[in-house]
Amino acid sequence: MMVWRLLFGCCLGLLLLSCSEQTSISPVATPFGDLSAITAGSGQIAIFSGMPNPQWLLDADAVAHIQQVIQTATTLNPSTLAEPPGLGFAGMSLELRGAGEPLNVTVFNEAITIRQASTITYLSDPDRVFERWLLANARPQLEPAIYDLAKHNLP
């Protein structure tokens, strides 16, 4: 009787194990390696001249969203990029850290520029959806006046 219980318990355990949902992030090949290795990051709004620009930290949910955007965004021809102005709002930049070289991301005017070591990739941000999301993500860590100024400058 004890052997049957043990056998039944083992079979039930194997069945549950085989049916369980896998929750780990699968590595996705990009020009920058495995994006799932990114574990932390920070952002900065390029808006001031002569003063430090506002900064914020990215939480795990924000990092996961950014990974998803980078993996799914379409490539952009660099000849279509608009130059940020010398003064005023010039977009946002991110530094994403994990194993290896940091990923530097600039988001401005429907374009996402990603730099890592000598590799540069340009991705599309139609209607500035990702840029607006970044600002909304930064909002809790920004002074209200700075958030309002950045939002006003993001058409």
Side-chain angles (χ1 to χ4, degrees):
M1 184 69 153
M2 184 64 125
V3 173
W4 285 107
R5 284 185 183 180
L6 182 60
L7 185 59
F8 178 74
C10 288
C11 289
L12 183 60
L14 286 174
L15 179 64
L16 291 174
L17 184 62
S18 68
C19 294
S20 68
E21 183 178 334
Q22 193 172 10
T23 58
S24 64
I25 298 174
S26 304
V28 175
T30 69
F32 316 107
D34 176 14
L35 292 177
S36 67
I38 296 170
T39 56
S42 59
Q44 177 175 305
I45 300 172
I47 200 164
F48 294 136
S49 176
M51 291 176 50
N53 283 312
Q55 297 182 3
W56 76 98
L57 296 175
L58 300 167
D59 63 18
D61 290 338
V63 169
H65 181 78
I66 293 165
Q67 290 168 337
Q68 181 69 26
V69 168
I70 292 171
Q71 290 171 359
T72 59
T74 58
T75 359
L76 183 66
N77 183 341
S79 66
T80 63
L81 296 176
E83 284 293 317
L87 295 173
F89 181 75
M92 289 175 257
S93 60
L94 306 172
E95 182 181 270
L96 305 173
R97 297 175 298 280
E101 294 269 336
L103 218 59
N104 295 299
V105 180
T106 305
V107 184
F108 177 70
N109 198 27
E110 298 191 356
I112 303 167
T113 305
I114 304 172
R115 291 178 176 83
Q116 185 180 46
S118 61
T119 304
I120 301 176
T121 300
Y122 303 95
L123 303 173
S124 180
D125 179 21
D127 299 320
R128 298 175 99 163
V129 171
F130 181 55
E131 194 171 4
R132 291 177 204 287
W133 179 87
L134 281 175
L135 183 59
N137 177 264
R139 186 177 191 171
Q141 297 180 51
L142 298 174
E143 294 292 326
I146 291 176
Y147 170 80
D148 291 340
L149 180 62
K151 186 170 179 166
H152 174 75
N153 283 282
L154 210 164

